[in-house]
Amino acid sequence: MSDDRTADLAARAAHRHVVVIGGGIGGLVAARECAKVGMQVTVLESEGELGGAIRRADLGGLTVDAGAESYATRGGHVRALLDELGLGDRIVTPNPAGAWLVGAPGVDAAPLPKGGILGIPVNPFADDVRRIIGWGGAWRAYVDRLRPPLTIGQERSLGTLVARRMGPKVRDMLVAPVTAGVYSADPDDVDTEIAAPGLNAALTRAGSLSGGVAQLIAERADRAAKAPGSAVEGVAGGMSALVDALQADLQELGAVVRTGVPVTALSRAGDGWTVSIASVAADKDEEPVEESITADAVFVATPEPGARTLLDGLVPGLGDPGEAPQIEIVSLLLEAPVLDAQPRGTGVLTVPGSRTAKALTHATAKWSWLREAAGTRHVVRVSFGAQGEPAATAGLDDDAAARLALTEAEGMLGVPLPESALIASHRARFTQSQPSSLIGAADRRREVRKALQKVDGLAVVGAWLAGTGLAQVVPDAKAEADRLRRALLWGDDAPLSTP
Ligand SMILES: Cc1cc2nc3c(=O)[nH]c(=O)nc-3n(C[C@H](O)[C@H](O)[C@H](O)COP(=O)(O)OP(=O)(O)OC[C@H]3O[C@@H](n4cnc5c(N)ncnc54)[C@H](O)[C@@H]3O)c2cc1C
């Protein structure tokens, strides 16, 4: 590119003002992509801190993750971002000890069976599988190997597929805890092809579900041998380090980052936009200060309900909202030497319906950086709420929520945890986006994206469109930022990608 052209582009970028509504990971990544090419960028975050579902909590002086605590290594996108931000040397892997399962009838607690995909076992007679589903369940699961393939490879619902081939015990006691823990969803609602890409084809080739799972595991092992590493990683000090680094980088790039400023409305102003905000007044008794900002382009990077409110009347064809699970995480700091032995590995999943809590993470067993920081103390995170099931803590005050979490932790970890063991607690509420693996969710998101991309100067990023998880949100926000940058700098003459 000629020097004149480069100078022209730089001048054009410097005259473009982009406003990003929402300072979660999606908004921050999109903001950075625009600031990198010299655009004027303003990030507006309603809460007092950036990060959204990546949330830091102070637990008796210990800094812990109250929301996201790790990322999937799939695609390498999050690692690449951490490397770019100079956090590569803080990347850590979790303790591989694995988690346990509680709530299976007649079984106090058992390690989650090793191997398998989404809880579907390869060998139903393996000790760790049979211990949970019993001999009856194992023989029923074995029928999968004897049955003619017939309709296999065509069942979209994971739960229906598993129950048909291997019986209800495999679905309810092995698969449901995993889909509830990972996707906050019932296996019947999970799309096989989205949750386990390639499984349908593998089943058809192998002639049975367990055979298909075995094939897929072999393929994955082959890939892992070529690129070894953990499927999940974290950051020493907590995932908030990523948010801090993004904030620092944005400020270095000249972006304006404002917190405590909820965006109340979005409207068209000529070719651009007017973004209305209500700054929270310094004095609580004062009315919020109304303000409006103009922008050439806008990223809406809030969770789905807020995004729909802002986009109402601006974008036709958005369809109906998806149901978003309300999740609560109660983090407990405990002085409980009985936990030194890590009685349930890195945590516990529950058979849905068996307890009020959905899952538990023994965070100091899972992350060595946290264990070192905590000294003799332990950090346990108890999760409540799932798709279609309100959090059992929802109606409780913070103290009662902490007591319920402690009781649940005692039951799930199988050790006595008296109230005297509790040093501090923290409770965080989240609206999780609808799980991307739900049947129909991917089609719905594609339609919404299509409708949004028809509007000039607008992009919507974040988990409700990208899918839940940093490994989904980060590359999607980059791609949407690239699309909007190109449109802003080149209009209809946009080349395939900007520098
Ligand atoms: C409890 C929990 C644990 C998780 N654990 C993991 C994990 O371990 N690994 C993983 O990969 N993923 C995890 N996830 C998922 C992951 O954290 C999310 O998918 C991702 O962080 C979502 O980012 P986002 O930018 O889309 O939305 P958010 O993080 O929700 O950010 C949206 C931001 O918009 C702000 N906002 C809302 N309305 C307005 C408004 N009107 N004006 C201005 N700002 C507004 C919000 O305050 C928020 O900061 C977890 C999620 C939860 C809830």
Side-chain angles (χ1 to χ4, degrees):
M1 199 181 292
S2 73
D3 286 352
D4 283 355
R5 183 89 172 111
T6 311
D8 176 44
L9 271 180
R12 264 201 250 178
H15 283 96
R16 297 287 188 267
H17 182 213
V18 175
V19 169
V20 178
I21 305 170
I25 187 73
L28 295 175
V29 167
R32 180 168 178 263
E33 290 303 302
C34 293
K36 261 179 174 173
V37 297
M39 291 176 172
Q40 299 170 44
V41 174
T42 305
V43 178
L44 303 171
E45 164 57 46
S46 57
E47 295 297 320
E49 272 198 74
L50 298 175
I54 306 178
R55 200 175 299 177
R56 153 191 301 121
D58 177 85
L59 201 55
L62 192 65
T63 300
V64 298
D65 285 315
E69 47 140 27
S70 63
Y71 59 90
T73 54
R74 192 179 55 245
H77 305 287
V78 184
R79 178 178 262 270
L81 178 64
L82 290 165
D83 281 336
E84 280 173 38
L85 292 165
L87 291 172
D89 59 352
R90 285 175 63 177
I91 294 173
V92 290
T93 52
N95 175 356
W100 284 52
L101 180 72
V102 300
V107 186
D108 177 31
L112 270 180
K114 297 261 188 266
I117 288 180
L118 294 170
I120 310 168
V122 173
N123 174 8
F125 293 106
D127 284 351
D128 55 0
V129 175
R130 197 181 34 75
R131 188 168 165 193
I132 293 169
I133 60 174
W135 282 108
W139 277 109
R140 171 61 190 87
Y142 181 66
V143 170
D144 167 52
R145 292 269 177 174
L146 310 176
R147 269 202 172 156
L150 289 178
T151 57
I152 58 168
Q154 293 163 30
E155 181 55 66
R156 205 163 175 199
S157 157
L158 181 72
T160 307
L161 174 69
V162 172
R164 259 198 208 144
R165 298 292 315 179
M166 302 184 86
K169 284 196 171 161
V170 173
R171 179 192 58 196
D172 298 341
M173 292 182 211
L174 295 174
V175 177
V178 177
T179 59
V182 178
Y183 306 115
S184 303
D186 185 289
D188 286 356
D189 299 331
V190 170
D191 191 329
T192 310
E193 204 39 47
I194 307 268
L199 182 59
N200 272 320
L203 310 182
T204 310
R205 283 197 304 275
S208 68
L209 177 54
S210 52
V213 168
Q215 276 200 6
L216 214 59
I217 289 173
E219 288 167 20
R220 286 183 184 177
D222 199 36
R223 278 200 299 276
K226 287 179 188 133
S230 169
V232 164
E233 290 173 342
V235 175
M239 286 308 298
S240 289
L242 171 59
V243 174
D244 295 344
L246 279 168
Q247 179 170 15
D249 201 52
L250 277 168
Q251 274 157 352
E252 192 143 309
L253 291 165
V256 174
V257 178
R258 296 176 60 182
T259 53
V261 281
V263 171
T264 51
L266 181 62
S267 55
R268 283 245 74 138
D271 288 343
W273 300 92
T274 299
V275 181
S276 306
I277 59 178
S279 306
V280 177
D283 183 338
K284 274 192 194 143
D285 298 332
E286 281 177 35
E287 286 294 305
V289 185
E290 297 289 337
E291 194 187 327
S292 50
I293 298 177
T294 55
D296 297 298
V298 167
F299 284 88
V300 176
T302 69
E304 178 168 2
R308 283 182 176 273
T309 305
L310 292 174
L311 297 168
D312 190 31
L314 293 170
V315 189
L318 290 186
D320 295 327
E323 193 206 339
Q326 305 289 318
I327 309 284
E328 295 204 10
I329 305 276
V330 182
S331 301
L332 307 172
L333 183 66
L334 301 165
E335 190 67 75
V338 282
L339 294 179
D340 292 352
Q342 305 180 359
R344 301 283 189 253
T346 56
V348 179
L349 292 180
T350 59
V351 172
S354 63
R355 305 197 66 93
T356 52
K358 188 185 70 168
L360 172 150
T361 306
H362 186 173
T364 33
K366 187 168 181 181
W367 303 107
S368 57
W369 66 265
L370 188 58
R371 189 159 55 250
E372 282 156 27
T376 59
R377 300 164 302 171
H378 287 269
V379 176
V380 166
R381 287 162 40 119
V382 186
S383 325
F384 295 91
Q387 185 84 17
E389 182 196 316
T393 40
L396 303 180
D397 64 27
D398 288 355
D399 283 346
R403 277 197 302 277
L404 177 61
L406 187 67
T407 308
E408 284 296 289
E410 187 172 59
M412 290 160 91
L413 290 164
V415 292
L417 294 174
E419 275 193 32
S420 57
L422 183 63
I423 304 169
S425 68
H426 178 274
R427 179 231 203 125
R429 295 185 177 87
F430 303 88
T431 300
Q432 211 171 31
S433 58
Q434 191 190 42
S436 40
S437 55
L438 287 194
I439 294 170
D443 296 340
R444 187 180 141 262
R445 285 206 313 264
R446 246 191 314 276
E447 286 306 308
V448 172
R449 252 290 150 72
K450 228 188 317 175
L452 291 165
Q453 289 182 342
K454 288 187 187 143
V455 182
D456 285 342
L458 175 72
V460 179
V461 297
W464 72 281
L465 288 179
T468 306
L470 309 190
Q472 312 263 90
V473 176
V474 168
D476 179 78
K478 278 193 170 185
E480 277 299 288
D482 186 46
R483 183 183 66 77
L484 204 60
R485 274 187 331 195
R486 281 190 280 131
L488 279 177
L489 294 179
W490 276 280
D492 291 339
D493 302 326
L496 284 177
S497 102
T498 36

